[in-house]
Amino acid sequence: MRPAVSTFTGRVLDDPLIRLAPGEPRAHCAASRGAYDLVEISLVDSVGLSDPGGYPVHENYTYTVEALDTYLGSLAPNGILSITVWNRLDPPRNVLRLLASVVEALREAGAADPQERLFVFDLYLSTATILVKNGPFTDGEIYDLRKFADERSFDTVWYPGIPKRDVDFDTVMNTYQRHFAGGDAPTENTTFSTSDVYHLALQKLLAGRGEDLTHAYPFDVRPMRDDRPYYTGFLRLDRLGMYLDQIRDVSEEWGELLVLGILLQAALFGLIVILLPVVGRWRDLFRQRRGVPGVIVYYAALGLAYMMVEIFLMQRLVFFLGNPVYSTALVISSMLVLSALGNLAAPLIARRRVVAVRIAAGVILASLAFYAFGLRFVFDRFLSSPMFVRVLLSIAIVAPSAFFMGVPFPTGLEAITERRPRLLPWAWGMNGGLSVAGAALAQVTALAAGFPLLLGIVAVLYAVVGVLFPVNEIAD
């Protein structure tokens, strides 16, 4: 099949020298070590385009450090990786994050001279291009590239031996901090361009002092990784008040602000669910009734943890399946079916309910450990496999945790119905209310700290579930 636009492009894909290779680019590059003189990634994102509501926050595994390492590994000697992205944000965000990721990938690949392998040029309100060579740029290549950039009115950000800019790093950072603290515009003496910012950032990154940039910059521009694959997650939670004071400068971050708003709203309604049954009935609920706080924590932990695992699997399997629709459909359907089967099988796991729940919690914790430490190896090994193989493997990845996650909630409800039925509505309410909060909390946690912290929180929650289950069997 050829694209419908082929009649407008001269049918270039019909050229016998062009071979189409459908599939995941990272998988193709991983299988083509040292094969290419040029790997081109051009304008595959939409950051900075005129999107009235800002852009959504979603996973993007194209520019992670691990992805860049794979692309670099597919280059022949003196081959070039060329990445072009939109350059329309001010203060700049996405290009800075990409530069940080590229430098980190070069260091992890063992490049002793990363500053000699980079050529970067940009044009504000247009594009920025990063060229990474598998070897140092020669003087002739630098001359030709500088001539190309100058003739097309690009600003040259970096090349080996580039002179230092007149503006210094501390001046730029202080200007941004003053602006966000009080809304002051840069004065004539502190005027600088996005090209200056990129140049100064590269100086810090290449000198091994990237923490100076990430600490002082008003936005989060840390390198992207597979366990934190958000190209558009720029807000820092410790500076949320600053963003709200200067909301006009974060208009592109409405997607991220919406996630934070959903978390706040879900937490508020969760508190209502917790506190409403207590109004006027405090003594009746808690006096001479052991374990009521434990029941609250048990069902709250289940609601939070289940949704956090579900969101994690959706986001992580996007990379493996290559499409968020496939990932979402597979995870939701698999978890619903497998959790139901786990519920039915609970009596077969162990005769005593507490033993069944603790076995389930143990298997879930083991599954979480696999997600944290073993998932990458599965993805690397099978990323180039046919789709049906990846779908089956994805179901196998979801299955152990989803099956045993179906045990604690219905088993707890069965016990509480027998022993303390007056708490049953509260158990349902806590689980439902905190499930909504869990989905938002998973996204916020992954954005701020990555998947390892998310999985750590879930592990603690399921450990708590295993410990607290006996509170369901205390008779009123």
Side-chain angles (χ1 to χ4, degrees), residues 12 37 68 105 122 124 133 163 165 273 321 350 365 388 402 427 432 457:
V12 294
D37 294 322
L68 294 168
D122 83 310
Y124 179 54
K133 187 179 178 183
R165 302 287 175 108
V273 169
L321 297 176
L365 291 174
F388 80 92
I457 293 172

Side-chain angles (χ1 to χ4, degrees), residues 43-62:
L43 302 179
V44 297
D45 64 90
S46 59
V47 172
L49 295 180
S50 54
D51 206 357
Y55 44 78
V57 177
H58 58 83
E59 312 76 36
N60 185 336
Y61 292 91
T62 304

Side-chain angles (χ1 to χ4, degrees), residues 360-423:
V363 175
I364 294 167
L365 291 174
S367 299
L368 296 175
F370 169 73
Y371 294 156
F373 302 109
L375 207 53
R376 180 181 176 184
F377 299 102
V378 176
F379 288 172
D380 289 345
R381 174 65 181 82
F382 294 99
L383 189 59
S384 58
S385 300
M387 176 59 77
F388 80 92
V389 174
R390 284 181 282 149
V391 168
L392 292 177
L393 280 171
S394 298
I395 294 173
I397 288 168
V398 173
S401 59
F403 181 85
F404 285 95
M405 284 164 63
V407 175
F409 181 61
T411 305
L413 290 180
E414 182 182 31
I416 207 172
T417 301
E418 293 178 5
R419 301 298 183 92
R420 46 200 337 179
R422 298 176 70 177
L423 294 180

Side-chain angles (χ1 to χ4, degrees), residues 90-91 93 175-184 218-219 241-243 245-246 249-250:
D90 188 19
R93 274 93 93 187
T175 301
Y176 279 133
Q177 290 170 6
R178 287 198 307 272
H179 171 68
F180 278 96
D184 299 328
F219 293 94
M242 178 188 73
Y243 301 136
D245 288 339
Q246 302 295 329
D249 289 317
V250 294

Side-chain angles (χ1 to χ4, degrees), residues 5 34 54 77 101 104 107 132 140 144 156 176 188 212 290 335 337 385 401 460:
V5 296
S101 301
E104 188 71 11
R107 292 196 184 281
V132 190
D144 291 340
T156 304
Y176 279 133
E188 184 176 347
D212 292 350
R290 294 186 299 119
M335 289 191 71
V337 172
S385 300
S401 59
V460 170

Side-chain angles (χ1 to χ4, degrees), residues 31 36 71 111 129 134 152 156 189 220 227 244-245 260 291 314-315 357 365 392-393 405 409 455 467:
Y36 295 107
Y71 307 147
T129 296
N134 186 14
R152 290 156 180 81
T156 304
N189 294 331
D220 184 352
D227 60 13
L244 295 177
D245 288 339
L260 293 170
M314 288 181 195
Q315 295 181 334
V357 169
L365 291 174
L392 292 177
L393 280 171
M405 284 164 63
F409 181 61
L455 292 174
V467 171

Side-chain angles (χ1 to χ4, degrees), residues 68-397:
L68 294 168
D69 181 65
T70 302
Y71 307 147
L72 292 171
S74 70
L75 294 176
N78 297 314
I80 290 178
L81 167 64
S82 173
I83 305 174
T84 299
V85 296
W86 297 109
N87 180 38
R88 300 188 62 179
L89 299 182
D90 188 19
R93 274 93 93 187
N94 63 306
V95 177
L96 283 177
R97 171 165 285 172
L98 183 56
L99 289 171
S101 301
V102 167
V103 173
E104 188 71 11
L106 282 170
R107 292 196 184 281
E108 292 191 2
D113 53 352
Q115 70 279 359
E116 302 294 322
R117 302 184 178 208
L118 290 173
F119 192 101
V120 183
F121 57 91
D122 83 310
L123 182 62
Y124 179 54
L125 296 181
S126 181
T127 62
T129 296
I130 303 171
L131 303 179
V132 190
K133 187 179 178 183
N134 186 14
F137 279 100
T138 65
D139 291 340
E141 290 170 336
I142 294 171
Y143 175 83
D144 291 340
L145 287 168
R146 290 183 63 188
K147 181 179 179 182
F148 171 89
D150 290 342
E151 288 176 349
R152 290 156 180 81
S153 300
F154 285 105
D155 293 325
T156 304
V157 174
W158 187 270
Y159 58 84
I162 189 172
K164 291 184 177 181
R165 302 287 175 108
D166 292 333
V167 62
D168 65 44
F169 179 82
D170 291 335
T171 299
V172 172
M173 295 301 110
N174 290 334
T175 301
Y176 279 133
Q177 290 170 6
R178 287 198 307 272
H179 171 68
F180 278 96
D184 299 328
T187 64
E188 184 176 347
N189 294 331
T190 58
T191 299
F192 51 85
S193 65
T194 57
S195 178
D196 293 326
V197 178
Y198 300 150
H199 176 84
L200 295 171
L202 275 171
Q203 283 185 323
K204 291 291 185 181
L205 293 166
L206 292 167
R209 298 177 59 188
E211 67 278 359
D212 292 350
L213 172 65
T214 56
H215 176 73
Y217 203 65
F219 293 94
D220 184 352
V221 291
R222 289 174 293 170
M224 294 173 61
R225 290 197 170 270
D226 282 352
D227 60 13
R228 188 176 173 271
Y230 299 100
Y231 183 52
T232 56
F234 303 118
L235 298 187
R236 299 173 55 165
L237 295 183
D238 60 336
R239 300 186 181 183
L240 188 57
M242 178 188 73
Y243 301 136
L244 295 177
D245 288 339
Q246 302 295 329
I247 196 69
R248 66 182 182 275
D249 289 317
V250 294
S251 60
E252 296 283 357
E253 274 77 18
W254 278 110
E256 198 168 351
L257 290 172
L258 182 61
V259 172
L260 293 170
I262 292 172
L263 176 60
L264 180 63
Q265 182 186 52
L268 176 62
F269 280 100
L271 284 174
I272 292 174
V273 169
I274 295 170
L275 297 177
L276 193 60
V278 178
V279 176
R281 300 181 58 208
W282 178 267
R283 292 183 179 180
D284 181 53
L285 284 169
F286 289 93
R287 187 174 59 184
Q288 296 180 351
R289 296 180 187 275
R290 294 186 299 119
V292 172
V295 171
I296 295 172
V297 173
Y298 180 86
Y299 290 98
L302 284 175
L304 283 171
Y306 192 97
M307 289 304 301
M308 291 178 79
V309 172
E310 190 169 44
I311 295 297
F312 163 78
L313 288 170
M314 288 181 195
Q315 295 181 334
R316 202 66 181 92
L317 289 174
V318 166
F319 168 57
F320 194 47
L321 297 176
N323 190 306
V325 175
Y326 299 161
S327 173
T328 301
L330 183 142
V331 170
I332 291 176
S333 58
S334 297
M335 289 191 71
L336 286 174
V337 172
L338 290 163
S339 294
L341 293 175
N343 175 26
L344 295 174
L348 303 177
I349 296 173
R351 290 184 178 182
R352 296 179 58 202
R353 286 185 290 230
V354 64
V355 176
V357 169
R358 287 178 175 173
I359 290 174
V363 175
I364 294 167
L365 291 174
S367 299
L368 296 175
F370 169 73
Y371 294 156
F373 302 109
L375 207 53
R376 180 181 176 184
F377 299 102
V378 176
F379 288 172
D380 289 345
R381 174 65 181 82
F382 294 99
L383 189 59
S384 58
S385 300
M387 176 59 77
F388 80 92
V389 174
R390 284 181 282 149
V391 168
L392 292 177
L393 280 171
S394 298
I395 294 173
I397 288 168

